[in-house]
Amino acid sequence: MTSSGQDTHVYTHLEELRRRLIITFASFLVALLAAFLYAKPIYNWLVSDVDGKLTVLGPTDILWVYLMISGVFALAVTIPVAGLQVWNFVKPALTPEERKAALAYIPALAVLFAAGIAFGYFVLFPMVLSFLKEMAQGQVETMYTADKYFRFMLNLTLPFGLLFEMPVVVMFLTKIGVLNPLRLAKMRKMAYFILTVISITITPPDFISDILVIVPLLILYEFSITLSKWVYRKQLTSAPAEVPQP
């Protein structure tokens, strides 16, 4: 291929990437606007367990709260869309079997993101909030602003939505040859350390809370390795001469 032909090829790929990014961003904006229309009832549901009403310190605070709520729902909608755009971008380099397998991962992105958000909201968030309330009980008068309350909620839930994507991401990267189970096993100690640090950082300073968060994350990592082995073995079966045995 000549230099001019290579430049044209690169330019075509960049244009395709740009188009995929625009579609993803446009999907996020549409989902954000749609979710914003229902932000008020969602807000009322999320604060139904709060003792008393939340306060605001400025006229635009409630707007930012509604945007935060809408943003999470928009992100949940956009993740599978982004996955589909990535699939379309790499599709020409995949075999028909790989295309079919990779496409099957996309619905799992939305399911696992929702599962991670649910874990953070229904398990971690009430546990940490209860711990902090007990610390403040009898010492200070508790009054939450809407902005800080929802920022605190998002800091505890959104990371788990992203972390729960780990199995699908690992399967996909194994499928295209970026990862393999041997490499993941060698990274186990480092991965355990990172996940433990994340868990201790976002949980109250007590052993039970740490265990309740660390254990699911470590299980998730081991589950990801198991899925990677399954994908890798299928590759070995289909092309034993091309894939090195770990």
Side-chain angles (χ1 to χ4, degrees):
M1 183 180 292
T2 65
S3 176
S4 176
Q6 288 178 338
D7 291 343
T8 302
H9 187 67
V10 172
Y11 178 77
T12 302
H13 276 288
L14 290 176
E15 278 296 309
E16 178 70 9
L17 178 61
R18 176 175 171 272
R19 189 166 71 90
R20 299 298 172 190
L21 290 174
I22 289 174
I23 292 173
T24 302
F25 184 66
S27 300
F28 177 81
L29 287 181
V30 172
L32 181 69
L33 292 174
F36 190 79
L37 297 176
Y38 299 95
K40 186 173 182 178
I42 296 172
Y43 171 89
N44 291 332
W45 176 70
L46 290 174
V47 300
S48 58
D49 295 333
V50 178
D51 297 330
K53 291 185 177 181
L54 301 177
T55 61
V56 294
L57 301 179
T60 61
D61 281 7
I62 193 64
L63 174 63
W64 287 112
V65 169
Y66 283 2
L67 285 175
M68 281 191 284
I69 295 171
S70 304
V72 174
F73 281 85
L75 186 60
V77 172
T78 307
I79 282 177
V81 174
L84 182 61
Q85 298 310 309
V86 171
W87 178 81
N88 280 317
F89 184 71
V90 302
K91 183 172 63 173
L94 302 177
T95 65
E97 182 183 349
E98 288 174 336
R99 292 176 187 175
K100 184 178 179 181
L103 185 62
Y105 300 153
I106 294 175
L109 291 172
V111 172
L112 289 175
F113 180 80
I117 291 292
F119 175 80
Y121 179 73
F122 291 107
V123 177
L124 183 61
F125 176 67
M127 177 178 66
V128 176
L129 189 62
S130 176
F131 175 83
L132 295 176
K133 282 182 178 180
E134 289 180 6
M135 285 187 62
Q137 190 173 13
Q139 304 296 320
V140 295
E141 182 179 351
T142 304
M143 183 175 64
Y144 303 126
T145 65
D147 178 67
K148 289 187 178 297
Y149 181 84
F150 278 94
R151 286 184 188 275
F152 177 68
M153 181 189 295
L154 289 184
N155 288 339
L156 291 178
T157 56
L158 192 56
F160 282 92
L162 301 175
L163 285 170
F164 269 53
E165 303 283 14
M166 192 191 312
V168 175
V169 173
V170 167
M171 287 180 71
F172 178 73
L173 294 179
T174 302
K175 191 70 178 179
I176 63 177
V178 176
L179 289 179
N180 61 57
L182 179 60
R183 188 175 301 172
L184 288 170
K186 286 183 176 180
M187 294 167 53
R188 181 181 275 114
K189 289 183 179 179
M190 179 60 69
Y192 276 21
F193 174 75
I194 293 173
L195 293 175
T196 300
V197 169
I198 292 174
S199 302
I200 293 174
T201 301
I202 63 178
T203 54
D206 67 88
F207 181 73
I208 299 300
S209 299
D210 292 340
I211 292 298
L212 287 174
V213 177
I214 291 171
V215 170
L217 291 183
L218 298 188
I219 291 175
L220 199 64
Y221 188 79
E222 292 299 326
F223 182 59
S224 299
I225 294 179
T226 302
L227 292 176
S228 179
K229 288 180 180 178
W230 177 72
V231 172
Y232 201 77
R233 284 170 184 164
K234 290 189 68 176
Q235 289 178 314
L236 287 173
T237 303
S238 60
E242 299 178 7
V243 183
Q245 178 72 43

